[in-house]
Amino acid sequence: MLPEAIAAVCGALGEVGNPSSLHTAGRRARRHVEEARERLAASVGARPSEVIFTAGGTEADNLAVKGIFWARRAADDRRRRLIVSAIEHHAVLDAVDWLVAREGAEVTWLPVDAYGRVAPAALRDAVAEDPDSVALVSVMWANNEVGTVQPIAELAAVAHEFGAPLHTDAVQAVGALPVDFAACGADALTLTAHKLGGPYGAGALLLRREVECVPLLHGGGQERDVRSGTLDVPAAAGLATAAQLAVERQPEHAPRVRALRDRLVAGICEIVPDAVVNGHPTQSLPGIAHLSFPGSEGDSLLMLLDARGIECSTGSACSAGVAQPSHVLLAMGAAPALARGSLRFSFGHTSEAADVDAVLEAIGPVVERARKAGLASGLS
């Protein structure tokens, strides 16, 4: 967390008062919440009335996907189709699968190219198949695994040609890229605090006032009657502070971490010549490097690096003890074996050149050892 966000959270924790109460402490808490709402809105090009505080990105994604689907279907029973990119975060994918299994939704999966990009023409073709059936389009702003950035403004324009709303999961984008909710044309946008240097479990859904959304939670209707629950004042304060600082510092932060990322990728490719760099070469997040290492298992690479004090991640999911290849890489056309041998290295505001040096010193021996383990287990 950013020190300033920690200070904001700790300062709010020392106060009492439910923001929905009318007494003095409640009004003071409400003022803190509304000031946080205004600061967050100003940071991302939204109106304060468009900010709905949530308990993180997963809740915001579920609220957008399910809530807008339910509202659109209620207005017109033909609207049962969701058009979704094949590389979404599981907060969107699993919400879509739930709607298909439980609510009779239909889904059209948007293909991506070898870099993980959705073409506006592909969206136009998908919507044009039956425009009246579309409940929602959902395409993430930037992919959490390979870092590829989508042409959100163009995609939103295509959706709006047919009167369809577009939701974008911008969890990875805010603070890393310029994000303007009003200018991008999206109807709903997800963001979360812990990707910005803010607290875990704090997020927001930006939702245009004219977009109907059925709530997931019922109760006091605290957030525009779309989201119920006693507002978390410290979380809102931490989120707003982190977002404000991340956006203000983005013009300096992005080139700095981009240089670190590029140096890491170049160094790894020199040390491991057959390593494959994934994601778009230019339209990508500045702080994510994603590489595949043929003949290796991602989990083995991860644990060997972790033993050396280097923390990275894989895009693979584990099901019943069996590693599954990343759905993102498979959608991009990667072979399953190569997809399983992939790692994501992420850079943040605390990253520095010494971190790159540590990875470059370790990566050669680690890949060699992982490949020997793969050969021993019959990995091809």
Side-chain angles (χ1 to χ4, degrees):
M1 284 179 66
L2 292 166
E4 297 90 341
I6 294 174
V9 171
C10 291
L13 284 170
E15 297 191 20
V16 298
N18 184 327
S20 298
S21 298
L22 297 179
H23 49 58
T24 301
R27 294 197 304 273
R28 183 170 56 244
R30 170 58 66 178
R31 184 175 69 251
H32 291 322
V33 168
E34 297 310 320
E35 288 173 352
R37 196 187 309 276
E38 290 171 4
R39 286 190 290 136
L40 177 58
S43 297
V44 291
R47 294 178 293 178
S49 61
E50 293 173 326
V51 174
I52 296 172
F53 286 117
T54 68
T58 295
E59 183 193 345
D61 278 341
N62 273 260
L63 178 56
V65 172
K66 295 175 182 175
I68 296 174
F69 171 84
W70 283 327
R72 295 266 294 170
R73 186 186 62 181
D76 186 339
D77 193 59
R78 295 174 298 175
R79 295 173 181 159
R80 293 173 172 266
R81 187 161 62 109
L82 297 157
I83 301 178
V84 184
S85 87
I87 60 168
E88 295 298 304
H89 188 279
H90 277 286
V92 168
L93 295 181
D94 291 357
V96 169
D97 287 344
W98 186 90
L99 286 171
V100 170
R102 303 290 186 90
E103 296 287 315
E106 301 170 359
V107 59
T108 299
W109 298 109
L110 287 173
V112 297
D113 63 19
Y115 299 121
R117 289 262 285 185
V118 174
L123 175 59
R124 179 175 283 105
D125 290 344
V127 180
E129 289 177 9
D130 186 2
D132 292 335
S133 70
V134 179
L136 178 69
V137 176
S138 187
V139 180
M140 66 194 328
W141 195 303
N143 185 259
N144 54 299
E145 290 188 32
V146 300
T148 296
V149 177
Q150 304 295 344
I152 291 300
E154 295 177 54
L155 296 172
V158 170
H160 292 166
E161 287 179 24
F162 298 92
L166 181 135
H167 162 255
T168 184
D169 180 332
V171 161
Q172 294 285 345
V174 177
L177 305 168
V179 172
D180 188 314
F181 183 57
C184 76
D187 300 279
L189 181 149
T190 294
L191 60 90
T192 199
H194 74 274
K195 297 295 183 181
L196 305 166
Y200 295 105
L205 177 67
L206 307 183
L207 184 68
R208 296 198 189 279
R209 293 290 303 186
E210 63 272 18
V211 177
E212 294 293 327
C213 184
V214 175
L216 297 179
L217 307 175
H218 298 89
Q222 284 86 346
E223 292 291 90
R224 235 174 77 186
D225 285 330
V226 174
R227 200 266 187 180
S228 293
T230 301
L231 286 163
D232 188 336
V233 181
L239 167 58
T241 298
Q244 181 177 356
L245 292 173
V247 170
E248 288 175 356
R249 296 170 181 174
Q250 188 271 336
E252 294 77 35
H253 169 77
R256 187 183 76 82
V257 297
R258 173 78 70 181
L260 293 173
R261 181 257 181 210
D262 290 348
R263 180 167 163 258
L264 176 71
V265 169
I268 290 177
C269 290
E270 183 176 347
I271 296 166
V272 187
D274 61 347
V276 178
V277 182
N278 300 306
H280 199 281
T282 58
Q283 301 300 313
S284 62
L285 292 169
I288 285 184
H290 195 281
L291 299 100
S292 299
F293 300 89
S296 305
E297 283 284 357
D299 289 346
S300 296
L301 294 167
L302 185 152
M303 296 310 298
L304 289 168
L305 288 169
D306 187 70
R308 293 170 178 250
I310 297 165
E311 297 179 355
C312 58
S313 65
T314 72
S316 301
C318 187
S319 176
V322 178
Q324 300 296 324
S326 160
H327 71 281
V328 173
L329 293 181
L330 294 181
M332 292 164 57
L338 186 64
R340 284 197 300 269
S342 303
L343 292 178
R344 181 188 71 172
F345 298 92
S346 303
F347 294 86
H349 66 90
T350 62
S351 301
E352 51 191 37
D355 299 320
V356 175
D357 295 337
V359 177
L360 295 181
E361 181 180 354
I363 196 68
V366 161
V367 171
E368 182 179 0
R369 185 173 172 185
R371 284 177 172 171
K372 288 180 179 178
L375 287 171
S377 65
L379 178 67
S380 58

